[in-house]
């Protein structure tokens, strides 16, 4: 599974990195970014999907 964040949609609410800190992180301005190339380990998949579902802007894509 892979994830991505659309930087044009992200408003920096931080839900992604608050809910799945092993998958997502923030930049110096508080906007979300995926860690590494966006590949998600099996044990992180549930948290990654939960974080994506809770993004207010739907900026997080799963299975890209």
């Amino acid at each position: 599974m892979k994830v991505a964040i659309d930087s044009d949609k992200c408003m920096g609410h931080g839900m992604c990195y608050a809910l799945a800190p092993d998958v997502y992180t923030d930049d110096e301005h508080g906007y979300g970014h995926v860690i590494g190339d966006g590949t998600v380990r099996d044990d992180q998949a549930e948290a990654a999907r939960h974080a994506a579902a809770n993004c207010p802007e739907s900026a997080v894509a799963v299975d890209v």
Side-chain angles (χ1 to χ4, degrees):
M1 178 172 117
K2 288 194 91 165
V3 295
I5 295 179
D6 183 336
S7 60
D8 290 332
K9 290 182 180 179
C10 179
M11 298 301 290
H13 291 284
M15 295 301 296
C16 58
Y17 52 85
L19 295 171
D22 294 331
V23 179
Y24 309 102
T25 190
D26 61 328
D27 66 11
E28 64 275 3
H29 303 289
Y31 293 100
H33 289 276
V34 296
I35 295 174
D37 69 355
T39 300
V40 178
R41 296 188 328 248
D42 291 341
D43 64 322
Q44 299 169 326
E46 184 177 342
R49 285 189 184 100
H50 180 65
N54 283 280
C55 177
E57 286 82 27
S58 299
V60 182
V62 177
D63 291 326
V64 293

